[in-house]
Structures are given as structure tokens and as C-alpha cells.
Amino acid sequence: MFEALREALIEEMKLDPTVCVMGEDVGHYGGSYKVTKGLAEMFGDLRVLDTPIAENSFTGMGIGAAMKGLRPVVEGMNMGFLLLAYNQISNNCGMLHYTSGGQFKIPVVIRGPGGVGRQLGAEHSQRLESYFQSIPGLQMVACSTPYNAKGLMKAAIRSENPVVLFEHVLLYNMKEKIPDEEYICCLEEAEMVRPGEHVTILTYSRMRYHVMQAAKTLVNKGYDPEVIDIRSLKPFDLHTIGNSIKKTHRVLIVEECMRTGGIGASLRSAIIDNFWDYLDAPIMCLSSQDVPTPYAATLEDATVVQPAQIVAAVEQICQ
Amino acid sequence: MAARSISDSTAALTIETSVPFTSHLVDPPSRDVTTTPAELMTFFRDMSLMRRMEIAADSLYKAKLIRGFCHLYDGQEAVAVGMEAAITRNDSIITAYRDHCTYLARGGDLISAFSELMGREAGCSRGKGGSMHFYKKDANFYGGHGIVGAQVPLGCGLAFAQKYKKEDTATFALYGDGAANQGQLFEALNISALWKLPAILVCENNHYGMGTAEWRAAKSPAYYKRGDYVPGLKVDGMDVLAVKQACKFAKDHAVANGPIVLEMDTYRYHGHSMSDPGSTYRTRDEISGVRQERDPIERVRKLILAHDLATPAELKDIEKEIRKRVDDAIAKAKESSMPDTSELFTNVYKKGFGVEVSCQICSN
């Protein structure tokens, strides 16, 4: 996946000279997850900028540069570090288009890895989708495969809106064959992963893989789950999601986000508002626990949703 | 008596600044400033217009036509006017929330300003920004920001874009003595110095961060020195010619060498905002003392009279005319309607949790 993201960056930077990348160790070091490997040599220090460890100011600078016509891609080495830039992301990135009465556009992409990894400890295992969710003016997507990573990165760069692209620490080494021809993924579209009839499972990012693992078990047990990777965390693709619910009448949300105020909580609300009449069972939502991610392996595993829990949930919904 | 018209001559006039410049890590510019009669008259007009606008805003606020927060600039006019005289509209300015006069200096008009203050659709931000969010993109005025200090990294980002696009222009990022203690300033200055960005950080030191005097908030209130490895200049911010000289110097420096800090020693007559009487943390004597000794408009008036560029009566006429302009603008602004409810959802995303579904990429 890191290569797919990298390809997207290279293609867009070649196409549009206003696209630049800024973040810690993105340049000479090649990026802590190799997403920007080789870019500094290709595009130079003015377009691939190694910043000091100063998230608040370099995110602010990216937004200022966007006000003046550039298209910065701001990398948080870990999404968690971007909390230091929260004011800039919320008040300036999200709001300037509105408070200026439409004069300024902020076409930035804010991206970085988040999620629970392998015993990285609480501060490096954050799931911040919910933290950014309420910011008016921001668009949010989460990639999960090399294919959609490249497509979403390209779309995010081209979008006039500020987009937060959530990557996942454990997915960077995922491999997949992707097309040679240029393609873009729609920022607001969900992805049908596995069509089915019995239950709609909505998921995103790494949990997609836990869901698919559970799906194998479920199929063996005679269930036919429909798996949708929602990809677009804000806005939700209620068109695709709605069509699925109208078919299956049962919904399970599986996410890595925190339970409280998470993406799942919002999604559940949206489904109830829009598709209540189509539901034959209460919507279930499996989220990660509202705890700082513990270091110990067993505890860390218990923090996030595991395939066994997904299987049990589907069995319960389909009773 | 023969009729005499106000001098609009462009013959050069050299005037000494009130005090010499104090500098840090750089040789200061000369205190001899070149100007012209026409320019001095422009200074008088522009500053008087700003003064009048702010005083009118005070009345409108008390009449509850302006709501929320309203931070007035009266006393500080020389900074906005002097800066504008030193630069072009291709240079960028960004400031915090005390932005009405900066907007005017950048070519903004009175009607848009008053409309915005009163939340009308004819406002410069369509009524959606308010007092703290004035912007003028075509004049490279980037606002207009409510969170103390957050505009400085934005300003360094503007400077970065200027360098990226090879523009030979500079960015003036203004902040107050209160904001000077924000960490993000030092972060942004560090990056600007490393990347040699044409960023000029201008501390408008009016000596009070809301109700807290500078010496209670800053261990070192020598703001022009706090760039450490970045050169700085301390300027009498009540002297429009000194401001002009310093800004010209700073722009040349920044474009050639990277960031520089300017500290404008200035003063606000009003409190921090209309919610602050401004008299609980400073004495009335102090305020009237500054008005007596250092008022920027009075300084220019004295210069004009001393050089016989206009008579006192002519200056009074100008002030009368300005008063009328402001009153007319307010009347016009009052006629503008409130924004339509549909405006709630423009310039932001609306469908589906506040995000507009209008993917420009695919056919959605």
C-alpha cells in the first residue's frame, strides 16, 4: 500500500506543480513508512519539505499556503501527532472557506497512519476518526487496499475541499496488483467488497480484513453477509449503504474507532434516520473499547474487534 | 485672500522619525524618511477615515447593531497605513481579529465593512464572518482570525507559497504582544528561518494582552529580540513614517534574506474589545497621556501644518467630509438585508453530516 500511495503522490506531483508534501522525515529520510521514498530526489527540497517537529505550525503553514494557491499534502507521522495541530485543522482548515464568505479554498490533504498497531502503546495507537468527525468543512476518507489507497489519494489531492485521509499502520505492507492505467476513486463512494443477502456489514480500514476473515467462517456456517467498506467517513455514502439495507434488512457496523461518539455512532444515527422502515433487527455496532490502547499483547487484542466477535454478532442479528 | 489648495505635490520631503530605530542582529534603517506632501495628506485622510470608522463602530455596537466581539483599532492606525505605503498589493498581509482598519488599508470599502459588522449579506464575508473575519483575497489580505497566534503559521505558509511561486513578494504576519508568547510563533519562525521564507512577523505591541500588561505575561517584553537568531527592529508604531520606513526595510530584508521581526510600539485607546472598558488595568491618565503626546493623526496634522501643506480649516473640512462618508456608508449598510437562510449551507458542505456531496472527480 505504501507504494500505491507513493505512486499517487508522484503522479499528482508530476501533473500539478502546485502539489507539495510537508511533514517530518518525508524528504531525505524517505518517510517513516516509505510513502514518500525517493520523492525528495525527484522533486527537490521545495516540493518535498522536511519539517521540524512542530505539527501545529507546519499544518498551519500548509493551510496558509493553500490559501495562496498551493495544494499541500500534510503528513502527520502518526495521526495522533496531529492532535497538536487540532486548532489549525478545525478552525482554519475547516472554517476559512466559510468565514471568508467563499473567498478562500483550502485544498489540503491531511494524511497519516493511525489505528492500533503491534504494541505501539497508547499514544501511538490512536483512532482519531471521531475526533475530526464533527469539524464542519472537513471531508474524511479511509483507505484500506492498495487499489483504493492510490485512487483516494489522487482524488483527495485533486479535490478543492480539505480532505483528511486516514491510513492504517498495519496496512502499509499490504500487496495487491493495481492497474497501470490511471484511475481515481470517488471520495464519497463506498466500496462493495462482498455482495450478499443476509446482513449488511459496514466497515472501513483495517477492520475490513477482520470482517472478511469472519466472513469465511460465516459462509461455512451458511450465512451470506454483504460486506461494504464505507471508505467515505464523512459524508457517508448513504446511497450504497441504503440499497444494501433495503436488501438485507440487518446491519452490523464493525469499526476500529472508539465506541463513544465514533463513526459507528454517527452511522447508526444516519441509518435510523433514513432507513428505519427497512430494518428487521436493531443495528449492532462493534467498536474498539474506550480505553487507551494497552501495551500488553493480549490486552491490545481485546481492545479492537476480533473476527470471533463479528461472527457472534452476525449470528445474533440473524436469529 | 487668494484661494489656496491643499498641497498634492509629489516633491520629495525628508522627515526625521520621532525616535531612532532599535535593532537586533541587523543595522537599522536611517531615521530620515522620504515622503511627499501628497503622501502626508493621504496618511492624514486614511488614518482619519479609520479613526472615524472605529468610533462609529463603537456607537453601532452600543446600539446593538454590531454584536458579539468587536475589537477596535483606534490609536493603532499608523501601523496599517504606514505598512501599506511601504508595500504593494502583491505582498500579503495577515492579522488577527483587530482587522477592520487593515481591511480598509488593503482597499476594502466602508459599506462592505459595516455590512459585515452588522451581519448583512453585503458584508465582505457575506455576513458569515463578523468583525473578526474580514478578508480581501484580490488584495492579498488574508484576514481576520479569532484564535490568538494561529494566523502566524498561516502567514508563514503564505510566505512559503510566495517563495514557491518565485514571486519576490513578502508576507506581513501581524500579531499582538499577547500572541507573542504562543509557541506556534516560535515554531513558525524556526521553519521560516530554516527555509529562508520572506516572512515578516510584526508584533503590534499595544502593551496589553486583553487585561494583562506585557510585563506580567512576558519574561522578556523585548519582542523584537525574541526571534533570537532572527533579526528584529523596534519601531515607534505611532509614527506613520517610521512604520513606512521599517516595513520597506523589512520587505527588502525578507525577500533577500528570510524572516525578520518588527515590533511596533503602539497603543489602543479602546479596551481589548467592546466588552472591556479598558480602564480596570490601566489609568485614564495613561490613555489620555498617549492621546496627547503620541496620537498618530495629530502627529501628521502637525507635520502638515508645519510644512504648510494645508490650513487647519482645510484639515477640519477633510474630517467633516470623512464623517459624512462614514455616516453615508453606515446608512447604506443598514439597508442591506440579512443573509438568506440558504446561505447557512453555502461555502461548507451540507449533505450528510455537514459534508456536501459533490464529488468533482466522478459523476456523482
Side-chain angles (χ1 to χ4, degrees):
Chain A
M1 187 189 284
F2 73 86
E3 284 163 332
L5 291 164
R6 186 173 163 271
E7 262 180 37
L9 275 173
I10 292 174
E11 283 174 23
E12 293 307 297
M13 287 177 79
K14 281 191 178 149
L15 272 174
D16 185 345
T18 66
V19 180
C20 54
V21 178
M22 48 176 70
E24 295 156 10
D25 280 325
V26 298
H28 296 189
Y29 188 85
S32 57
Y33 291 97
K34 295 184 284 209
V35 173
T36 53
K37 189 160 198 276
L39 261 61
E41 289 82 1
M42 283 176 80
F43 297 104
D45 282 347
L46 200 58
R47 293 189 71 190
V48 183
L49 301 135
D50 278 329
T51 62
I53 306 176
E55 283 79 3
N56 194 4
S57 51
F58 73 69
T59 306
M61 285 176 70
I63 296 163
M67 285 173 93
K68 206 159 162 49
L70 298 191
R71 305 181 86 91
V73 177
V74 176
E75 176 178 302
M77 189 185 272
N78 186 289
M79 270 300 190
F81 307 163
L82 289 179
L83 288 176
L84 287 152
Y86 199 88
N87 176 64
Q88 294 290 350
I89 296 173
S90 169
N91 288 335
N92 292 332
C93 184
M95 295 190 191
L96 274 168
H97 187 56
Y98 193 83
T99 57
S100 69
Q103 287 179 70
F104 296 109
K105 295 213 173 111
I106 317 290
V108 295
V109 177
I110 296 173
R111 53 159 290 269
V116 174
R118 300 255 178 261
Q119 299 186 261
L120 299 177
E123 291 174 315
H124 292 74
S125 312
Q126 299 199 66
R127 310 132 248 160
L128 299 184
E129 302 86 81
S130 59
Y131 290 48
F132 294 115
Q133 190 186 185
S134 301
I135 298 175
L138 272 195
Q139 192 166 0
M140 307 196 323
V141 289
C143 59
S144 53
T145 66
Y147 179 84
N148 65 37
K150 180 173 179 184
L152 289 173
M153 171 78 96
K154 284 171 75 88
I157 291 173
R158 291 189 192 187
S159 170
E160 295 297 307
N161 305 329
V163 179
V164 182
L165 170 57
F166 291 90
E167 300 156 17
H168 196 288
V169 278
L170 292 181
L171 297 182
Y172 282 125
N173 289 323
M174 204 103 253
K175 289 202 190 311
E176 183 187 16
K177 204 155 176 11
I178 60 177
D180 289 327
E181 318 82 55
E182 193 183 36
Y183 69 93
I184 300 195
C185 290
C186 179
L187 288 172
E188 283 109 6
E189 235 172 41
E191 189 182 313
M192 177 65 68
V193 183
R194 183 193 187 280
E197 297 290 324
H198 290 165
V199 59
T200 298
I201 305 183
L202 302 172
T203 184
Y204 66 91
S205 190
R206 184 198 167 204
M207 285 297 116
R208 167 189 174 137
Y209 296 93
H210 280 200
V211 168
M212 289 311 287
Q213 211 180 313
K216 281 199 203 119
T217 311
L218 287 166
V219 165
N220 286 341
K221 291 184 175 213
Y223 294 95
D224 186 23
E226 178 151 290
V227 179
I228 294 176
D229 182 335
I230 63 172
R231 270 185 4 196
S232 178
L233 306 182
K234 182 173 176 178
F236 296 130
D237 177 4
L238 291 178
H239 179 78
T240 305
I241 292 170
N243 284 344
S244 177
I245 296 173
K246 288 173 187 173
K247 183 171 57 163
T248 69
H249 310 293
R250 289 160 207 283
V251 182
L252 170 66
I253 300 169
V254 179
E255 60 169 357
E256 201 171 314
C257 200
M258 316 291 268
R259 155 156 252 94
T260 302
I263 301 290
S266 299
L267 187 50
R268 211 178 198 166
S269 255
I271 293 173
I272 290 171
D273 282 349
N274 290 283
F275 307 115
W276 173 258
D277 290 331
Y278 298 97
L279 293 170
D280 284 347
I283 304 167
M284 277 192 78
C285 183
L286 297 176
S287 323
S288 70
Q289 301 307 315
D290 284 337
V291 296
T293 313
Y295 166 70
T298 45
L299 294 180
E300 184 182 70
D301 284 343
T303 307
V304 297
V305 180
Q306 298 296 341
Q309 292 163 285
I310 302 172
V311 172
V314 169
E315 288 178 319
Q316 189 183 329
I317 291 181
C318 290
Q319 260 163 21
Chain B
M1 195 156 34
R4 204 201 74 123
S5 64
I6 295 169
S7 180
D8 57 1
S9 154
T10 50
L13 206 54
T14 305
I15 296 179
E16 210 186 37
T17 63
S18 62
V19 292
F21 297 100
T22 322
S23 68
H24 169 71
L25 293 187
V26 73
D27 289 327
S30 152
R31 42 187 302 210
D32 292 320
V33 186
T34 317
T35 179
T36 68
E39 184 175 65
L40 284 174
M41 290 308 304
T42 308
F43 286 164
F44 181 81
R45 283 196 180 89
D46 289 349
M47 289 197 285
S48 299
L49 185 66
M50 290 174 181
R51 179 68 56 91
R52 193 65 228 143
M53 173 178 73
E54 297 295 75
I55 290 176
D58 172 297
S59 303
L60 288 172
Y61 192 89
K62 286 170 175 152
K64 294 198 191 299
L65 283 163
I66 298 177
R67 311 307 300 269
F69 291 128
C70 187
H71 306 84
L72 300 177
Y73 201 73
D74 50 315
Q76 299 184 212
E77 298 88 350
V79 177
V81 172
M83 182 178 293
E84 199 61 40
I87 62 178
T88 73
R89 290 280 159 79
N90 292 327
D91 297 300
S92 301
I93 297 181
I94 190 170
T95 186
Y97 42 75
R98 207 176 297 279
D99 58 352
H100 312 159
C101 298
T102 316
Y103 171 74
L104 229 55
R106 286 261 96 180
D109 70 286
L110 285 172
I111 297 177
S112 304
F114 283 116
S115 299
E116 188 61 37
L117 287 173
M118 294 192 281
R120 309 297 170 99
E121 66 178 2
C124 47
S125 293
R126 321 239 292 247
K128 302 205 286 191
S131 164
M132 299 187 280
H133 299 287
F134 281 27
Y135 308 85
K136 199 170 194 320
K137 184 176 182 183
D138 58 16
N140 280 308
F141 175 50
Y142 294 87
H145 298 272
I147 303 295
V148 168
Q151 75 279 9
V152 177
L154 289 182
C156 295
L158 296 173
F160 169 68
Q162 286 169 321
K163 178 167 179 153
Y164 192 99
K165 294 178 172 191
K166 300 183 167 49
E167 275 185 11
D168 271 341
T169 52
T171 296
F172 287 76
L174 282 71
Y175 58 98
D177 46 290
N181 302 312
Q182 275 270 318
Q184 55 190 319
L185 254 75
F186 297 94
E187 290 180 21
L189 204 53
N190 177 42
I191 299 179
S192 301
L194 273 173
W195 297 353
K196 267 186 84 167
L197 302 182
I200 300 148
L201 269 62
V202 183
C203 178
E204 290 186 280
N205 182 9
N206 58 27
H207 308 285
Y208 297 93
M210 204 163 84
T212 303
E214 61 183 322
W215 55 271
R216 293 180 65 227
K219 189 72 180 167
S220 162
Y223 301 104
Y224 71 106
K225 283 193 192 166
R226 285 170 64 171
D228 185 17
Y229 41 82
V230 169
L233 206 62
K234 182 162 173 171
V235 185
D236 178 359
M238 307 299 260
D239 176 351
V240 67
L241 291 169
V243 172
K244 173 185 156 181
Q245 187 89 318
C247 289
K248 177 152 194 344
F249 176 81
K251 176 181 169 177
D252 291 341
H253 183 283
V255 171
N257 306 322
I260 183 168
V261 177
L262 292 181
E263 179 186 337
M264 301 287 181
D265 183 351
T266 183
Y267 201 84
R268 51 166 165 80
Y269 296 135
H270 268 87
H272 165 72
S273 71
M274 288 302 297
S275 322
D276 166 32
S279 51
T280 59
Y281 48 85
R282 51 184 193 173
T283 63
R284 293 195 192 281
D285 284 343
E286 179 188 291
I287 305 170
S288 52
V290 174
R291 214 186 266 278
Q292 201 110 315
E293 307 292 317
R294 299 178 67 205
D295 184 276
I297 301 175
E298 289 316 301
R299 155 172 246 103
V300 172
R301 189 197 303 271
K302 287 194 189 107
L303 279 172
I304 288 172
L305 294 175
H307 285 88
D308 202 23
L309 307 178
T311 66
E314 283 162 337
L315 293 181
K316 276 258 164 319
D317 283 342
I318 291 177
E319 285 173 310
K320 254 193 243 151
E321 178 212 319
I322 281 172
R323 237 194 137 99
K324 183 168 188 315
R325 268 184 72 192
V326 168
D327 289 342
D328 286 348
I330 292 175
K332 206 101 200 92
K334 281 180 177 168
E335 283 170 24
S336 169
S337 47
M338 295 286 184
D340 185 77
T341 320
S342 62
E343 271 293 322
L344 185 64
F345 294 112
T346 58
N347 313 125
V348 78
Y349 307 126
K350 64 172 177 193
K351 283 195 195 156
F353 295 89
V355 184
E356 187 173 83
V357 180
S358 62
C359 183
Q360 299 109 35
I361 317 297
C362 54
S363 51
N364 258 25

